[in-house]
Amino acid sequence: MYPVAEIFGPTIQGEGIQLGRRTMFVRLAGCDFRCRWCDTVYALDGANSSPLSPGAIVDRLQEMAPYCKTVTLTGGNPCIHDLQPLIETLHAHAYEIHIETQGSVWQECLARANMINLSPKPPSSGMDAKPLALDEFVNKSAALQLKIVISSEEDYVYARNLHTLYPDTDMVLQVCSQPGIDSKDTLLEKCRRLVDRVMGDPGFSDQVRVLPQMHVLIWGHERGK
């Protein structure tokens, strides 16, 4: 059984190199991090979740949108749970599986995911000292992107250092968006400044993208979008 905080969609993937692509989302409750700017606080523990089996999760997905065959597992940190039964069940029903995680827990079953959105937390999160399994994710995933939230100068340096460590891995830089604080205009201005800086920085290769959170620009921080 998995503690499911919410299942929603079909909607767009709002972040990373899959930006704008249709997907369903399954958000599992529970997280081993407590980031200062977390935008899904309601999923940090199981208080507001419902226990569902892999089969029940698939049934819900098929009831909501049988034509959408891409599913994104997110959290919290979904990788603190044993994902093998869920991954096997989703693949048995012909789903393409994307997983969003900060990279603290590697499981061998993650190699069967179609895409890993690996988002290690930078200094502004307060969680940058937590141990990560980045080498395992980068070397064993079928497909992977690094996504770094930028909220401070230290975050920018952190991202550039990660790019030096993993120069052949796709990287997305994304400005930090805080519910109730950042307006759409503020976010766009932050994006402009980050674009200007990264495009002129020889420390980043042409493989690095600066992308917004599209769902936030469209809907704000409305849940289920």
Side-chain angles (χ1 to χ4, degrees), residues 14-194:
E15 303 178 355
I17 61 177
Q18 301 288 328
L19 191 73
R21 183 178 173 184
R22 183 171 69 189
T23 186
M24 298 294 292
F25 279 89
V26 176
R27 188 180 304 281
L28 301 183
C31 191
D32 49 338
F33 281 38
R34 290 296 184 270
C35 298
R36 294 186 183 120
W37 32 249
C38 177
D39 59 358
T40 53
V41 176
Y42 58 91
L44 291 181
D45 56 42
N48 299 305
S49 66
S50 301
L52 293 178
S53 67
I57 291 172
V58 168
D59 287 345
R60 187 80 60 85
L61 292 170
Q62 293 183 331
E63 288 169 7
M64 296 171 70
Y67 54 86
C68 183
K69 301 304 289 185
T70 301
V71 60
T72 300
L73 305 181
T74 188
N77 180 10
C79 296
I80 65 172
H81 307 288
D82 177 8
L83 292 179
Q84 183 169 342
L86 181 54
I87 287 174
E88 289 178 351
T89 302
L90 289 168
H91 273 315
H93 288 82
Y95 280 94
E96 181 174 320
I97 302 169
H98 299 189
I99 297 176
E100 300 180 338
T101 179
Q102 53 266 62
S104 58
V105 181
W106 170 258
Q107 306 174 38
E108 292 303 321
C109 64
L110 298 178
R112 298 192 60 210
N114 300 90
M115 170 61 73
I116 300 288
N117 178 5
L118 182 61
S119 185
K121 304 310 178 189
S124 67
S125 70
M127 297 287 109
D128 57 306
K130 298 270 278 187
L132 298 174
L134 298 187
D135 284 348
E136 289 181 287
F137 275 92
V138 170
N139 294 326
K140 296 182 179 181
S141 298
L144 177 138
Q145 61 174 316
L146 279 164
K147 178 177 69 74
I148 313 298
V149 174
I150 306 297
S151 183
S152 67
E153 178 64 23
E154 291 77 16
D155 295 350
Y156 187 88
V157 173
Y158 177 86
R160 192 164 50 189
N161 290 339
L162 270 183
H163 182 55
T164 300
L165 287 173
Y166 305 108
D168 297 324
T169 301
D170 286 320
M171 175 178 279
V172 171
L173 304 182
Q174 173 184 297
V175 298
C176 185
S177 169
Q178 295 183 276
I181 296 176
D182 292 312
S183 67
K184 292 180 183 180
D185 287 342
T186 300
L187 288 176
L188 287 173
E189 180 56 33
K190 286 182 178 180
C191 286
R192 291 187 194 104
R193 291 199 300 267
L194 185 57

